[in-house]
């Protein structure tokens, strides 16, 4: 835990130092002005009651964001006031992904984004992400690029860059779908021939996923699904989805969590399926304050007093 905190502190300080060293006060002021404009546009993307105006805000957002990213050394500027989009930086600081969505009046979505590389000399190098969800008929079977993207809003990047032939990054993403269902995605990102490529057949142990380029979960919009990564265990964990009734097995719009969990374990560069895993909370100091009815109350009270000293 101490090593993790130390690493995070060093990373943060290094980023702030780099930003300060590579950006003049005037440049920082300009980036802050760009951020203020993006905040207003982002609010309209989400909250404007007019669908055309939401799209107009998104188009203007794209042009404004490109203007901001063209500023030298913009990669180190966090844009941390933008709350209506997702910005995820790879842990190795090789790139970061901006992603967001526009909701249509019919409850469907369109996705937008770009990958900004941490280019030498602070120059702009990026891969715009163009959503082609509507014409990708078999998303789990298709290798894609940034020009033909299965759009999603990413919230986690997991690097797999050692002891593999092709270094890659696992992306966990949210994908609002229709008025009836939501999707979540486990995708694979790698860079080849000056393209950002998506999809790689890394999934073992589940016959439905064997040979697939990505995993797509679909479930009822009324439900909530957990999809996360446990670094210590090197495992992606997620709710097991099931139909509420056997007669609805073919209708994923009705699926939801059944209170069991599955996982994908990173093993020598591949993702091995594990079913019915047991999830436990990490130990913490507050565990000592748990009142066990099988133990004398006096012992518990003494521990509580000690924790307050």
């Amino acid at each position: 835990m101490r090593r993790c905190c130390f690493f995070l502190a060093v990373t943060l300080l290094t980023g702030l130092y780099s930003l300060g060293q590579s950006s003049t006060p005037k440049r920082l002021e300009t980036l802050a002005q760009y951020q203020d404009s993006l905040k207003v546009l982002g609010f309209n993307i989400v909250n404007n009651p007019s669908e055309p105006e939401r799209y107009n805000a998104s188009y203007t957002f794209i042009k404004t964001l490109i203007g901001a990213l063209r500023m030298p050394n913009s990669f180190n500027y966090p844009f941390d006031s933008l709350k209506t989009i997702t910005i995820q930086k790879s842990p190795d600081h090789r790139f970061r992904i901006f992603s967001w969505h526009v909701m249509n009046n019919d409850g469907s979505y369109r996705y937008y984004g770009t990958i900004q590389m941490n280019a030498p000399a602070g120059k702009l190098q990026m891969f715009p992400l163009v959503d082609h969800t509507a014409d990708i008929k078999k998303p789990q079977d298709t290798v894609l690029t940034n020009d033909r993207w299965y759009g999603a809003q990413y919230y986690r990047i997991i690097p797999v860059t050692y002891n593999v032939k092709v270094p890659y990054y696992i992306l966990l993403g949210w994908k609002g779908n229709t008025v009836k269902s939501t999707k979540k995605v486990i995708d694979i990102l790698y860079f080849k021939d000056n393209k950002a490529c998506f999809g790689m057949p890394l999934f073992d142990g589940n016959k439905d996923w064997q040979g697939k380029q990505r995993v797509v979960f679909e479930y009822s919009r009324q439900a909530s699904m957990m999809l996360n990564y446990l670094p210590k265990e090197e495992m992606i964990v997620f709710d097991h989805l099931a139909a509420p009734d056997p007669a609805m097995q073919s209708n994923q719009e009705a699926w939801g969590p059944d209170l069991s969990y599955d996982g994908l374990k990173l093993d020598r560069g591949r993702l091995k399926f594990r079913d019915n895993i047991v999830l436990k909370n990490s130990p913490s100091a507050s565990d000592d304050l748990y009142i066990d009815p099988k133990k004398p109350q006096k012992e518990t009270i003494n521990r509580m007093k000690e924790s307050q000293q």
Side-chain angles (χ1 to χ4, degrees):
M1 181 67 182
R2 290 180 179 177
R3 288 183 179 179
C4 181
C5 293
F6 176 76
F7 174 77
L8 290 172
V10 169
T11 301
L12 177 61
L13 290 172
T14 301
L16 293 172
Y17 177 79
S18 299
L19 181 60
Q21 291 292 307
S22 60
S23 301
T24 64
K26 180 63 176 177
R27 192 176 299 155
L28 289 173
E29 181 181 344
T30 303
L31 284 166
Q33 290 171 351
Y34 271 119
Q35 180 171 237
D36 289 341
S37 298
L38 291 167
K39 282 172 61 177
V40 174
L41 292 165
F43 180 87
N44 281 320
I45 289 171
V46 173
N47 296 289
N48 198 299
S50 166
E51 181 180 296
E53 289 303 316
R54 292 196 294 273
Y55 275 99
N56 284 338
S58 185
Y59 298 145
T60 306
F61 187 98
I62 292 169
K63 292 188 289 186
T64 306
L65 179 61
I66 292 172
L69 298 185
R70 280 179 175 158
M71 296 286 294
N73 299 297
S74 64
F75 185 85
N76 292 313
Y77 192 80
F79 293 100
D80 51 5
S81 292
L82 302 184
K83 305 302 183 183
T84 56
I85 73 168
T86 303
I87 305 172
Q88 286 292 307
K89 183 180 287 187
S90 65
D92 60 5
H93 291 255
R94 185 182 180 190
F95 64 91
R96 61 179 173 176
I97 303 178
F98 296 78
S99 56
W100 67 94
H101 67 270
V102 177
M103 188 172 75
N104 298 313
N105 288 343
D106 65 0
S108 62
Y109 296 79
R110 184 172 177 85
Y111 293 86
Y112 296 86
T114 192
I115 301 173
Q116 182 189 17
M117 306 302 293
N118 190 2
K123 294 182 179 180
L124 178 60
Q125 180 186 0
M126 68 179 188
F127 298 99
L129 301 173
V130 184
D131 187 10
H132 278 262
T133 296
D135 56 47
I136 300 171
K137 303 307 179 184
K138 295 183 177 180
Q140 291 182 297
D141 298 322
T142 310
V143 176
L144 302 167
T145 67
N146 56 288
D147 296 324
R148 190 167 182 259
W149 174 50
Y150 190 63
Q153 194 159 343
Y154 300 119
Y155 58 87
R156 191 71 185 261
I157 300 175
I158 306 152
V160 184
T161 55
Y162 296 100
N163 300 319
V164 289
K165 291 183 179 179
V166 179
Y168 66 86
Y169 300 82
I170 302 168
L171 307 178
L172 305 184
W174 174 89
K175 186 174 178 64
N177 187 39
T178 69
V179 71
K180 293 183 178 181
S181 76
T182 301
K183 294 182 178 182
K184 284 194 173 180
V185 181
I186 304 173
D187 213 337
I188 310 297
L189 168 67
Y190 60 99
F191 299 94
K192 181 180 178 181
D193 300 330
N194 201 33
K195 289 277 188 181
C197 302
F198 295 87
M200 193 180 288
L202 300 171
F203 306 96
D204 296 328
N206 182 319
K207 61 182 179 62
D208 294 328
W209 299 347
Q210 197 74 35
K212 301 300 183 183
Q213 305 294 332
R214 63 186 54 78
V215 173
V216 181
F217 302 94
E218 184 175 5
Y219 54 96
S220 169
R221 188 163 175 165
Q222 305 304 314
S224 177
M225 179 196 174
M226 183 272 293
L227 172 64
N228 211 341
Y229 178 66
L230 303 179
K232 186 177 179 180
E233 291 80 4
E234 295 188 315
M235 184 182 291
I236 300 168
V237 294
F238 44 90
D239 281 305
H240 181 88
L241 301 175
D245 185 280
M248 306 178 76
Q249 186 65 30
S250 62
N251 181 17
Q252 288 184 281
E253 292 177 344
W255 285 20
D258 67 356
L259 303 182
S260 66
Y261 305 97
D262 298 329
L264 286 165
K265 173 75 172 176
L266 263 172
D267 183 0
R268 290 171 290 182
R270 299 191 64 81
L271 291 164
K272 306 293 182 68
F273 180 72
R274 301 284 187 269
D275 63 345
N276 291 315
I277 62 173
V278 177
L279 295 183
K280 296 180 179 179
N281 293 328
S282 299
S284 71
S286 61
D287 290 346
D288 287 337
L289 305 183
Y290 168 69
I291 298 177
D292 189 339
K294 296 180 181 180
K295 292 184 178 181
Q297 190 174 8
K298 183 177 180 181
E299 179 184 340
T300 302
I301 292 172
N302 288 339
R303 288 205 311 271
M304 292 177 68
K305 288 180 178 179
E306 290 172 0
S307 69
Q308 294 171 356
Q309 290 177 353

